[in-house]
């Protein structure tokens, strides 16, 4: 029996390590994760010298939508990328709890381990929490000055600006060179996505899968005002959520592509018939935006069109984040006015 123990231990280690796909983390593996939350670390996210403090990240609705609403322990790959790359396999525990005074609402906190990786993290470093289809987690910290951060953003389909001192970490996801011929002032078109915040997470999901669809529907269900600029709309589940929101009194406006709106599978007429204001591009060749704004605060953007194919068959991405400078709201108002002329 004693002789078999080393072999048994080796087998357990192999199973444990290979559940993450590879022992050494590589940036391109990020595309294999189905849900990603990313933020700039603040002092309370980093290891405190006094050990009486719990090592935890307080959950927000964004983190809840990645990790769920149940207490759960995750097998976790911890990675720090700075002067050198450090890795360790361990666990994290997501506590989700309710208080009677919260009237059925819950709150989460992610408890993590004290190790070389978490002790290396500092305020303004980038923190990535990613979950794969097997419910294993990646807990990744990237030193704020490390150039690999750009590779990480590229793997997540986010482009980083070269100068991040006075600008956003991200380039705008949309641009339209044809507008140079239109002559109106385009200050709104030069806005960039706000930098990754400390107080809230940026959530990123990939398809095939229902994460984009379900999270868009969740935002629609919670919003009182919804501005939508999406190239193609053929997803019945999302359309039903929009119509239900309209019936309960939410203020909704939709911009979409003229040609796509007349397509065989388009549901734009169903939205218009429900009394929702819809306008299409009259001054651009196509209206190729894919974003929506909820209550002038939360934004979803990315490559994801609101179609069933985008959920079930395509390789797409969607990003959820806040817009403190109203960048997308300004853009929407500009386009809405332009297409009314």
């Amino acid at each position: 029996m004693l002789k078999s123990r080393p072999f048994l231990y080796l087998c357990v280690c192999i199973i444990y390590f290979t559940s993450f796909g590879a022992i050494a983390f590589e940036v391109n593996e990020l595309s294999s994760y189905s849900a990603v939350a990313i933020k700039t670390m603040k002092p309370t996210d980093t290891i405190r010298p006094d050990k009486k403090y719990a090592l935890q990240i307080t959950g927000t609705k964004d983190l809840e939508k990645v990790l769920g609403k149940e207490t759960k322990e995750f097998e976790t790959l911890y990675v720090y990328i700075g002067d050198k790359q450090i890795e360790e396999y361990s666990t994290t525990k997501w506590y989700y709890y309710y208080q009677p005074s919260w009237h059925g609402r819950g709150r989460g906190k992610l408890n993590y381990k004290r190790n070389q990786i978490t002790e290396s993290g500092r305020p303004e470093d980038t923190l990535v929490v990613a979950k794969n289809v097997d419910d294993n987690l990646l807990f990744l910290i990237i030193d704020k000055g490390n150039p690999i951060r750009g590779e990480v953003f590229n793997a997540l389909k986010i482009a980083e600006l070269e100068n991040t001192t006075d600008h956003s970490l991200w380039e705008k996801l949309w641009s339209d060179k044809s507008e140079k011929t239109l002559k109106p002032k385009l200050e709104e078109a030069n806005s960039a996505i706000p930098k990754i915040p400390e107080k809230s997470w940026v959530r990123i999901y990939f398809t095939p899968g229902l994460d984009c669809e379900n999270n868009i529907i969740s935002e629609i269900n919670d919003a009182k005002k919804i501005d939508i600029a999406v190239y193609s709309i053929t997803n019945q589940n999302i359309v039903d959520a929009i119509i239900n929101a309209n019936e309960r009194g939410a203020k909704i406006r939709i911009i979409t592509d003229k040609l796509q709106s007349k397509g065989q599978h388009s549901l734009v007429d169903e939205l218009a018939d429900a009394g929702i204001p819809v306008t299409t591009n009259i001054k651009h060749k196509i209206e190729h935006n894919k974003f929506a704004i909820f209550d002038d605060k939360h934004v979803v953007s990315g490559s994801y069109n609101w179609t069933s194919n985008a959920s079930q068959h395509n390789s797409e991405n969607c990003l959820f984040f806040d817009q403190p400078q109203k960048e997308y709201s300004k853009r929407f108002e500009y386009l809405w006015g332009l297409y009314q002329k």
Side-chain angles (χ1 to χ4, degrees):
M1 179 67 182
L2 291 176
K3 292 181 179 179
S4 65
R5 284 186 177 179
F7 177 75
L8 178 61
Y9 177 76
L10 178 61
C11 292
V12 170
C13 288
I14 291 173
I15 294 171
Y16 183 63
F17 292 155
T18 56
S19 64
F20 289 92
I23 293 177
F25 171 77
E26 295 183 4
V27 169
N28 59 14
E29 294 173 22
L30 280 169
S31 61
S32 68
Y33 287 85
S34 59
V36 180
I38 183 169
K39 69 178 293 190
T40 298
M41 294 181 72
K42 56 184 179 179
T44 53
D45 294 328
T46 57
I47 294 291
R48 304 181 188 184
D50 190 337
K51 292 190 177 182
K52 72 178 181 180
Y53 289 103
L55 307 183
Q56 62 184 217
I57 299 169
T58 302
T60 65
K61 286 186 178 180
D62 293 309
L63 200 55
E64 169 190 308
K65 289 176 179 178
V66 171
L67 301 181
K69 294 185 178 181
E70 296 180 357
T71 294
K72 186 171 185 178
E73 187 168 78
F74 293 95
E75 304 294 345
T76 303
L77 170 60
Y78 289 84
V79 180
Y80 174 78
I81 301 178
D83 293 337
K84 60 181 179 178
Q85 183 164 321
I86 311 170
E87 300 181 9
E88 181 175 317
Y89 289 97
S90 186
T91 59
T92 52
K93 189 163 186 178
W94 171 245
Y95 287 94
Y96 201 81
Y97 54 99
Y98 300 85
Q99 297 286 358
S101 61
W102 295 349
H103 306 291
R105 294 189 297 271
R107 184 177 298 171
K109 55 186 179 182
L110 183 64
N111 281 27
Y112 56 89
K113 299 296 184 180
R114 185 184 296 273
N115 53 38
Q116 290 186 73
I117 291 88
T118 54
E119 288 181 344
S120 298
R122 297 290 182 270
E124 298 186 28
D125 287 352
T126 300
L127 173 61
V128 178
V129 175
K131 186 177 72 170
N132 66 18
V133 293
D134 295 323
D135 273 356
N136 295 317
L137 287 193
L138 168 69
F139 193 101
L140 170 64
I141 299 173
I142 309 165
D143 180 84
K144 64 179 181 180
N146 196 294
I148 289 180
R149 185 170 61 174
E151 295 180 28
V152 169
F153 291 165
N154 287 335
L156 295 175
K157 298 182 171 63
I158 302 169
E160 186 180 22
L161 291 176
E162 292 182 3
N163 180 358
T164 60
T165 303
D166 299 314
H167 300 85
S168 160
L169 287 179
W170 295 341
E171 292 178 320
K172 60 196 175 197
L173 290 182
W174 41 260
S175 61
D176 194 338
K177 296 179 181 178
S178 66
E179 286 180 316
K180 293 179 180 179
T181 64
L182 299 177
K183 297 183 180 178
K185 292 182 179 180
L186 297 181
E187 288 84 356
E188 298 91 339
N190 294 324
S191 299
I193 297 174
K195 69 177 182 179
I196 297 174
E198 291 183 355
K199 293 184 178 180
S200 60
W201 295 83
V202 175
R203 291 180 285 128
I204 305 167
Y205 302 98
F206 298 98
T207 66
L210 296 177
D211 283 328
C212 287
E213 178 179 323
N214 289 343
N215 279 278
I216 288 170
I217 290 173
S218 177
E219 294 286 349
I220 291 170
N221 291 342
D222 291 340
K224 296 179 181 178
K225 180 184 177 184
I226 309 168
D227 288 329
I228 299 165
V230 174
Y231 175 64
S232 180
I233 304 175
T234 68
N235 187 305
Q236 188 68 60
N237 293 331
I238 295 178
V239 167
D240 288 345
I242 296 171
I243 293 173
N244 289 338
N246 181 64
E247 291 176 349
R248 71 164 188 270
K251 183 181 178 180
I252 304 171
R253 296 180 294 178
I254 298 173
I255 296 172
T256 190
D257 182 71
K258 185 176 182 178
L259 183 60
Q260 289 294 315
S261 68
K262 303 301 180 184
Q264 179 181 356
H265 302 291
S266 173
L267 299 176
V268 171
D269 285 345
E270 186 174 336
L271 292 164
D273 290 343
I276 299 170
V278 177
T279 191
T280 59
N281 49 303
I282 59 174
K283 303 231 175 169
H284 298 120
K285 184 176 181 180
I286 61 175
E287 174 48 52
H288 206 241
N289 280 298
K290 304 171 186 70
F291 70 84
I293 312 153
F294 307 98
D295 294 326
D296 286 327
K297 181 180 179 182
H298 306 293
V299 174
V300 59
S301 189
S303 71
Y304 181 84
N305 273 302
W306 292 12
T307 68
S308 297
N309 277 335
S311 292
Q312 299 171 10
H313 305 295
N314 298 352
S315 175
E316 308 278 3
N317 71 88
C318 60
L319 300 85
F320 294 80
F321 51 92
D322 292 343
Q323 53 149 10
Q325 302 302 319
K326 309 296 183 187
E327 298 85 359
Y328 277 78
S329 292
K330 292 175 184 177
R331 180 63 174 177
F332 186 91
E333 293 297 342
Y334 163 74
L335 291 173
W336 187 263
L338 185 67
Y339 295 160
Q340 304 302 310
K341 296 175 182 178

